Amino acid sequence: MNRVGKNAGVLAFLTLAGGLSAQVASEANSGYKTPQQREAVAKGLADPARDEKQKPRELLKAMEVRPGMTVADVGTGIGYMLPFLSRSVGPAGHVIAEDIFDDFIASA
């Protein structure tokens, strides 16, 4: 196969993969499409039992998050992890939080 054929094959693959990625993202975000759906999700994210199930302190210890670090919480939702991250990095550290839904960020 010549270079043009290889490049066309790669381009076709990337095009198909890009479409698949959009489809997967659409399905993964299907429960977040309306403000009412996001509000219902937010209630679950704020569940007081979440600490026991997800063990955020153990997670940050395993990730070796330390004072002075800069960390990012991508997909922060309602900001559940932000207090844990902030305490772990301390006053000299930085926490960056991002989410694709403004109403989640507003409630963080």
Side-chain angles (χ1 to χ4, degrees):
M1 183 180 282
N2 63 28
R3 179 176 282 162
V4 173
K6 286 181 183 178
N7 288 342
V10 170
L11 180 59
F13 172 77
L14 292 175
T15 301
L16 290 172
L20 239 133
S21 175
Q23 181 182 357
V24 169
S26 178
E27 289 176 22
N29 291 326
S30 65
Y32 299 82
K33 290 185 178 179
T34 68
Q36 294 80 12
Q37 288 174 310
R38 290 190 296 279
E39 186 177 329
V41 169
K43 286 180 184 174
L45 294 174
D47 181 359
R50 191 170 174 189
D51 288 4
E52 184 57 36
K53 289 183 221 172
Q54 296 188 335
K55 304 183 184 328
R57 289 172 191 83
E58 291 178 26
L59 172 66
L60 295 175
K61 184 177 179 181
M63 291 174 59
E64 299 182 3
V65 176
R66 304 218 187 292
M69 291 178 85
T70 297
V71 296
D73 185 359
V74 179
T76 195
I78 63 165
Y80 167 76
M81 286 297 297
L82 298 181
F84 299 101
L85 291 165
S86 294
R87 281 192 293 273
S88 293
V89 301
H94 300 279
V95 177
I96 302 164
E98 186 59 60
D99 202 282
I100 62 173
F101 298 111
D102 292 337
D103 48 349
F104 276 171
I105 293 290
S107 68

